[in-house]
Amino acid sequence: MGGSERTVVWFRRDLRIDDNPALVAAARDGSVLPVFIWCPADEGQYYPGRCSRWWLKQSLPHLSKSLESLGCPLVLIRAETTLAALLQCIDSIGATKLVYNHLYDPISLVRDDKIKKELSARGISVKSFNGDLLYEPWDVYDDSGHAFTTFNMYWEKCMKLPVEISPSLAPWRLVPVPGVENVCSCSIDDLGLESNKDEESSNALLRRAWSPGWRNAEKMLEEFVCHGLLEYSKHGMKVGGTTTSLLSPYLHFGEVSVRKVYQLVRMQQIKLENEERSEAEEGVHFFLRSIGLREYSRYLCFNFPFTHERSLLGNLKHYPWRVDEDRFKSWRQGMTGYPLVDAGMRELWATGWTHNRIRVIVSSFAVKFLLIPWTWGMKYFWDVLLDADLESDILGWQYISGSLPDGHELSRLDNPEVQGQKYDPDGEYVRTWIPELARMPTEWIHHPWDAPGCILEVAGVELGFNYPKPIVELHIARECLDDAISTMWQLDTAAKLAESDGEVVEDNLSNIKSFDIPKVVLKETSPSALPVNQKVPYASSKNHNAKLKELKGSNKHTICVDTIRSSKIEGTNSVANLPVSRKRFGSDTAFHVPCCSSSAEVHSRNQDHCGSLVGSSRYLLQEAGKNCADEVEDNSSSDSGTSISRPSKRAA
């Protein structure tokens, strides 16, 4: 701490003292001003939901108290723009440097690049660090210099690379900068993280279940490593109880570093091996793969920054999503008539949390049974999840919707009834969250529509009155999904012919204006510095060439693939008050996705303006810094008997 620099440390999703590279660097170079800036305008359509804001409100005082004990309390600022707030801090104390830890989502990439350019032009030194990942995205590419598009290949490459598993220690002391009283700061309440009394009362449940803060994160990690890691691989079959690490919100807000998690898990692995406890190997393996999925979510967002609004696979740009606000509302409120799905959605609304298995089931139901655009579901998860994480949610929803080369097959349709019997065999989870079905016998709990009238009468269930009938029957859902896939291939074939004539074909998702998701375009900073464009995968279809031949010779004209109407989704409505009595439980990343060994054929086809997006995003962070949760969870071949199928329709 012998330096003379005056440094602003910009805290974001790294709310910890231990293993915080930006904080350590600032403390080493001189005096420090720790600052957290709350700027709702910068968040745009990804303004954090109630539960996420509650967590932030608890975590910030915890961090401030720790910083104060080191000599520098945290300065809180509510601002119109982040850039203006940082400039005000720098001018108030005469700072010469700004430091922060990397973020990898496309919105943060654009904001950080703008801030770096502006401050650099004013002669302020800007440095950023890796405080969130084991492997930086620009360090992991295939032999051709292209980004990986399947998790298995990505993680296999990562396992061959060295990883720095020794976290940096927290500074012993921080030297406060003179002039800190000139900074326009505010109190934690003035940030407006809880907007009204209703939110405060709704958050009472969260206070009973969770303890935010970096010290609590470390306690949670130690408890999991010592007691939960051994049985981790078996927990994918349970949707109730404390069955996972519970680390996902702590990881999202950066209250514990992934390096520390990795280090402690590996140390425990060595200890268990020395004790010859071979049964622990499977649990360690699955947990490390879940950490790998979190890494992969950042990797995909960095290399393909359009994935928050468009499918990675090119052919899905023509998928005829169904814009149905009523169905979307029924799904959100847990009123679909499928008990396991409804229980999951009601728990999600009431608590901001569900087990990863439930997240997979409800999201799959939305996109496969209801054909709801996956971007709608992703945005809803972002609004209500306690551990909402944009990168992980993008990975999860693209995986479930068949938008990734190694994701669920587009034609896969899982039966919620069979899944209920598999993951909630006693029906206790359903009874907890659907009181209308509390007296239903276990035999009928997951398919009450098949129960005899006398059983329903005794249980007090009147389908269509106090509990809905199925929103869509299984065989109808199967037919609609097959028809949608057939339509997609027809439109895809027609679009290829149109593009060969120089016509512009729009993406179906671009016509869905429900959430006004911002279009992020990263401008090229230095064309000569840009790397080779990444290849965007494109799913192949059998008999696809035959379709092209059949359309040849037809009259060619401008083709519009806008097969769905634009609409604005109304605000999310609350479900009825639900009794809640439970302990914390959930998944280890914001949205785990299982790992598939098979992947679709990948073409070397660049999608729209992907080249400039990818090249620029990699360049920006190079300049700046230069959830298979397990195969048990959801392997497409492991759920034998849960998938509803019929001969697939293809375009004639």
Side-chain angles (χ1 to χ4, degrees):
M1 299 184 202
S4 58
E5 295 266 16
R6 294 185 180 185
T7 304
V8 174
V9 182
W10 181 19
F11 280 89
R12 290 140 16 125
R13 295 206 299 267
D14 50 352
L15 307 180
R16 64 181 183 272
I17 302 297
D18 195 33
D19 192 25
N20 190 319
L23 180 63
V24 170
R28 182 177 58 245
D29 293 340
S31 55
V32 173
L33 175 66
V35 61
F36 178 86
I37 300 170
W38 180 244
C39 181
D42 279 0
E43 304 297 335
Q45 292 299 317
Y46 289 102
Y47 180 77
R50 172 182 63 85
C51 295
S52 289
R53 285 183 279 111
W54 171 84
W55 189 284
L56 193 58
K57 187 175 181 180
Q58 313 310 308
S59 185
L60 288 171
H62 187 99
L63 174 65
S64 182
K65 185 176 180 180
S66 299
L67 288 169
E68 188 172 6
S69 69
L70 296 177
C72 294
L74 181 66
V75 173
L76 302 176
I77 300 175
R78 184 182 174 95
E80 294 297 323
T81 70
T82 303
L83 176 59
L86 288 172
L87 287 172
Q88 194 264 333
C89 290
I90 290 169
D91 292 341
S92 297
I93 65 171
T96 55
K97 181 185 291 187
L98 171 72
V99 296
Y100 56 87
N101 293 312
H102 296 155
L103 295 177
Y104 305 90
D105 64 274
I107 297 172
S108 296
L109 283 172
V110 174
R111 179 186 58 205
D112 294 356
D113 180 59
K114 178 182 177 182
I115 288 172
K116 180 178 180 180
K117 286 180 179 177
E118 180 66 27
L119 296 185
S120 297
R122 294 170 179 252
I124 304 299
S125 173
V126 180
K127 293 195 66 177
S128 57
F129 302 85
N130 175 18
D132 189 52
L133 295 175
L134 298 174
Y135 309 96
E136 290 283 25
W138 53 82
D139 290 335
V140 188
Y141 290 102
D142 64 19
D143 294 338
S144 300
H146 296 139
F148 291 102
T149 54
T150 60
F151 171 74
N152 282 338
M153 295 180 67
Y154 163 80
W155 194 234
E156 181 180 350
K157 177 74 172 185
C158 288
M159 291 294 94
K160 296 177 182 178
L161 299 175
V163 57
E164 181 184 348
I165 62 172
S166 297
S168 57
L169 298 175
W172 288 97
R173 182 172 65 91
L174 297 175
V175 178
V177 296
V180 65
E181 64 277 1
N182 298 325
V183 178
C184 295
S185 60
C186 67
S187 68
I188 185 68
D189 289 330
D190 291 337
L191 289 181
L193 297 174
E194 285 182 314
S195 57
N196 52 54
K197 293 295 183 181
D198 289 338
E199 284 196 354
E200 291 181 16
S201 60
S202 297
N203 291 337
L205 171 69
L206 302 178
R207 295 187 185 93
R208 296 203 305 267
W210 296 92
S211 299
W214 71 274
R215 290 191 183 278
N216 295 320
E218 293 190 346
K219 293 177 183 176
M220 186 70 71
L221 172 61
E222 291 172 2
E223 180 181 344
F224 168 71
V225 170
C226 293
H227 305 291
L229 185 61
L230 190 64
E231 300 293 321
Y232 183 78
S233 64
K234 301 177 182 179
H235 291 161
M237 302 297 290
K238 302 176 183 178
V239 297
T242 306
T243 58
T244 60
S245 73
L246 306 173
L247 291 175
S248 58
Y250 297 103
L251 282 167
H252 170 73
F253 289 99
E255 295 173 340
V256 63
S257 76
V258 70
R259 280 192 296 261
K260 186 161 190 174
V261 173
Y262 186 86
Q263 181 189 44
L264 291 183
V265 169
R266 291 304 297 268
M267 290 175 63
Q268 182 72 359
Q269 181 183 25
I270 294 171
K271 176 184 175 182
L272 293 173
E273 287 176 352
N274 290 338
E275 296 173 357
E276 297 183 352
R277 301 180 68 177
S278 58
E279 71 276 11
E281 183 61 30
E282 189 177 22
V284 172
H285 170 74
F286 286 141
F287 181 75
L288 290 180
R289 286 181 72 87
S290 73
I291 293 297
L293 278 164
R294 180 181 182 274
E295 299 270 314
Y296 187 54
S297 71
R298 272 79 177 147
Y299 180 82
L300 276 186
C301 274
F302 175 76
N303 285 287
F304 304 101
F306 56 81
T307 49
H308 69 301
E309 58 184 359
R310 296 210 313 274
S311 302
L312 184 63
L313 289 177
N315 54 280
L316 286 180
K317 69 187 294 184
H318 308 302
Y319 192 82
W321 299 105
R322 181 168 181 173
V323 181
D324 190 323
E325 299 176 25
D326 292 334
R327 285 191 170 195
F328 184 50
K329 183 177 179 180
S330 297
W331 176 75
R332 295 195 320 261
Q333 294 184 332
M335 297 292 287
T336 69
Y338 287 92
L340 187 63
V341 174
D342 292 343
M345 294 306 293
R346 295 187 190 190
E347 180 192 25
L348 175 61
W349 173 252
T351 69
W353 187 269
T354 61
H355 188 283
N356 175 64
R357 166 54 51 188
I358 295 297
R359 300 186 196 200
V360 170
I361 290 171
V362 300
S363 58
S364 179
F365 185 88
V367 298
K368 298 299 182 65
F369 270 72
L370 306 181
L371 302 183
I372 291 172
W374 64 266
T375 51
W376 287 13
M378 183 189 74
K379 182 60 170 62
Y380 181 69
F381 269 31
W382 172 261
D383 288 339
V384 299
L385 277 171
L386 180 73
D387 57 350
D389 184 273
L390 184 56
E391 298 95 330
S392 294
D393 288 345
I394 288 171
L395 176 63
W397 280 92
Q398 290 234 13
Y399 180 92
I400 291 300
S401 64
S403 300
L404 298 178
D406 55 349
H408 274 186
E409 292 182 4
L410 192 56
S411 60
R412 173 173 169 173
L413 191 72
D414 291 327
N415 187 335
E417 176 188 338
V418 178
Q419 289 179 316
Q421 294 167 349
K422 181 176 182 180
Y423 300 112
D424 184 31
D426 298 326
E428 291 307 310
Y429 177 75
V430 167
R431 293 187 182 93
T432 298
W433 294 104
I434 308 182
E436 307 97 287
L437 302 181
R439 291 188 290 168
M440 279 295 293
T442 300
E443 180 183 358
W444 308 104
I445 189 71
H446 293 294
H447 54 120
W449 55 85
D450 289 331
C454 59
I455 297 294
L456 292 173
E457 184 177 357
V458 170
V461 176
E462 187 175 345
L463 295 178
F465 178 70
N466 63 352
Y467 185 70
K469 296 178 181 179
I471 193 170
V472 57
E473 295 185 10
L474 301 181
H475 70 281
I476 298 297
R478 174 76 268 171
E479 291 176 1
C480 290
L481 179 60
D482 286 345
D483 290 341
I485 295 172
S486 178
T487 299
M488 178 194 74
W489 285 118
Q490 291 176 7
L491 293 172
D492 182 68
T493 302
K496 280 186 170 62
L497 291 175
E499 289 173 355
S500 68
D501 286 345
E503 297 165 5
V504 177
V505 182
E506 294 183 352
D507 188 330
N508 273 353
L509 281 176
S510 69
N511 295 296
I512 300 175
K513 301 176 182 177
S514 53
F515 292 118
D516 239 357
I517 298 175
K519 304 293 188 292
V520 179
V521 178
L522 303 177
K523 296 182 179 179
E524 295 187 6
T525 307
S526 173
S528 61
L530 295 179
V532 178
N533 292 338
Q534 303 308 314
K535 296 181 179 181
V536 178
Y538 196 86
S540 62
S541 168
K542 294 180 180 179
N543 302 322
H544 194 56
N545 292 333
K547 299 177 199 172
L548 282 170
K549 291 179 180 179
E550 290 176 18
L551 288 179
K552 284 184 179 178
S554 61
N555 293 328
K556 295 175 181 174
H557 53 278
T558 302
I559 297 174
C560 177
V561 296
D562 182 10
T563 60
I564 49 183
R565 62 184 177 87
S566 299
S567 177
K568 186 173 183 179
I569 299 303
E570 59 190 53
T572 301
N573 294 326
S574 167
V575 296
N577 293 331
L578 296 173
V580 178
S581 177
R582 67 171 189 131
K583 301 238 180 214
R584 294 168 293 191
F585 64 98
S587 56
D588 300 308
T589 61
F591 193 145
H592 283 178
V593 291
C595 305
C596 290
S597 57
S598 61
S599 64
E601 180 181 353
V602 177
H603 291 250
S604 58
R605 176 182 181 273
N606 289 326
Q607 182 176 13
D608 297 335
H609 55 281
C610 152
S612 62
L613 284 169
V614 173
S616 300
S617 64
R618 191 201 298 190
Y619 175 73
L620 295 181
L621 274 187
Q622 281 175 325
E623 290 298 299
K626 290 224 243 231
N627 283 37
C628 173
D630 43 47
E631 279 87 350
V632 171
E633 294 243 21
D634 204 69
N635 192 306
S636 58
S637 63
S638 65
D639 278 345
S640 176
T642 68
S643 183
I644 308 157
S645 62
R646 70 165 184 165
S648 178
K649 290 185 179 180
R650 290 291 188 186

